[in-house]
Amino acid sequence: MKTMLLKTASLFCGLLLCMSAFGVSKSKVKDKVKDKVQDIEQIYSTPTKHWVELKKPTASINKNQVKADIVIYSDSLLQKIDGFGGAFNEMGWTSLKTIPDAEAKKVIESLFSKEGCNLSMGRMPIGASDYALSYYSFDDVPEDFVMRDFNIDRDKFILMAYIKEALKVRPDMKLWGSPWTPPAWMKVNEHYSMRNGDLNGRTGGNRMTDGAQILNNATAFKMQERYLKAYALYFSKFVKAYKAEGVNVYAIMPQNEIAYTPNWPACTWRPEDLAYFIKDFMGPQMEKDSLGTEIWLGTINYANPNYVKTILDDKKAAKYIKGVGFQWAGSKCIPTISKDYPQYNFMQTENICGEGENNWTSLQRSWGTMIHYFNNGVSSYMYWNMILDENGMSAWGWPQNSMVVIDKNEKTVKYTDEFYLFKHFSHFVQPGDHLLKSSTGENHIAFKLKDGRVLLLINNPKETEESLNVQVGAKSLNVKLLPTSINSFVLRN
């Protein structure tokens, strides 16, 4: 019996050695199958199903040579990515505070955690925006040129509280700010806004005398030296005050929507006047105070590239400018500016906000905007309001979209289609990753991640299933896309 057991054991060991020699061990076979599956990670979203992670990807390796519908040049790195983000506003915070703290925490985590959207950037209004609860600035005392009464007390309880909750989840988030308007006493019409009454039939607009309106894009700032000096000091004090509260501001754009005269907080500047302010006042003040905060030109909402060129061609102003931010009509001038001034970084600063529809139509519009901007050199892309209530109504009567909708009456939370669109990008694409060169087309884009993986995103706007052949470096893939879907494919080398 003992002899028989020894012979059996010997035969078993020999069999194992043979299997090992020929590379057919059970564990290795399993590992190879596992590795093949893990070569491709596939996630899709449709209007009815969001962020579906497939255990068995429908993408497969083409065994035979086929003509590619999409080509990704996996070794051709384009611009380095700074990140994706959204804007903090007072109305977003007050909406968030209507639900229990535990639920509010989940919303913040969904936006900023690695498991969620993984947003890495944030925008702050400097004073009142159209989604502030009311008009305000950090110094509303007329002719306080030395900024004696400057304070951020209101922000400590509202806007900064919102930002700090996000920083708990994403402490390395890069924050930048822009004012919608200077303090009213620094403006020619001495009003926060530019226009009287309601805009485009929307009720709730401001009221001012007709003589106070400025409707022609003339510079609305008082261009006397004492006002310019005071405004430069205003920006410096803002950065210092936020830093003292533990919030670092990495960049400032001196004016939101530089060429627009709405009935909410706003201020227009002629390009020559803004260049004068940057080169002789704001730039020197920030440099003198050693703040380390960058000055970017923006936000540009003007289609004619000559506006931006006038400022960037002023060498004294240009030496202080690190980048240019574009939104809305600025999309028409970025192709020229990014080509003519490749030494700058570029940002899309405010995703088109819609009319509160919060549906797949919004997603498709945003997809097109994102492709346009990345193909024209931006390194960062910003949503507008990340969180709003069920109405999405601005203080001046415009209902707009958001990534998260909180019904303050029902105490419910809804993540919109655009939330998932951003998640398909920003969950994977982080600062330091790169856009990849690819064949022309409006429904695909690809990024090289720092760990060597490739993220391929494909939009199928059709109401029918699509099958596409994709060449990624040396690999040829066949991918199957559900009707009306956004698809992320993460590919290992």
Side-chain angles (χ1 to χ4, degrees), residues 131 202 328 351-358 362 365 383-384 398-401 418:
Y131 275 84
R202 299 184 178 98
W328 293 75
N351 193 65
I352 294 174
C353 61
E355 297 282 344
E357 64 276 8
N358 285 314
S362 310
R365 180 179 58 235
Y383 196 80
W384 178 214
W398 185 352
Q400 297 178 18
N401 293 342
E418 286 184 295

Side-chain angles (χ1 to χ4, degrees), residues 324-355:
V324 186
F326 301 86
Q327 63 190 55
W328 293 75
S331 65
K332 296 178 181 178
C333 77
I334 190 175
T336 299
I337 299 302
S338 62
K339 179 181 177 182
D340 293 351
Y341 302 89
Q343 68 270 35
Y344 290 99
N345 286 331
F346 303 107
M347 180 191 297
Q348 191 290 135
T349 49
E350 183 182 305
N351 193 65
I352 294 174
C353 61
E355 297 282 344

Side-chain angles (χ1 to χ4, degrees), residues 156-187:
K156 289 179 183 179
F157 294 98
I158 308 176
L159 192 68
M160 190 179 288
Y162 187 4
I163 294 167
K164 284 186 174 182
E165 285 301 307
L167 286 172
K168 290 178 183 177
V169 179
R170 185 77 197 236
D172 64 340
M173 179 171 51
K174 293 177 72 174
L175 293 158
W176 65 275
S178 63
W180 269 236
T181 178
W185 57 272
M186 294 185 181
K187 291 174 64 179

Side-chain angles (χ1 to χ4, degrees), residues 140 242 271 378 430:
D140 284 325
Y242 260 66
V378 301
Q430 292 295 299

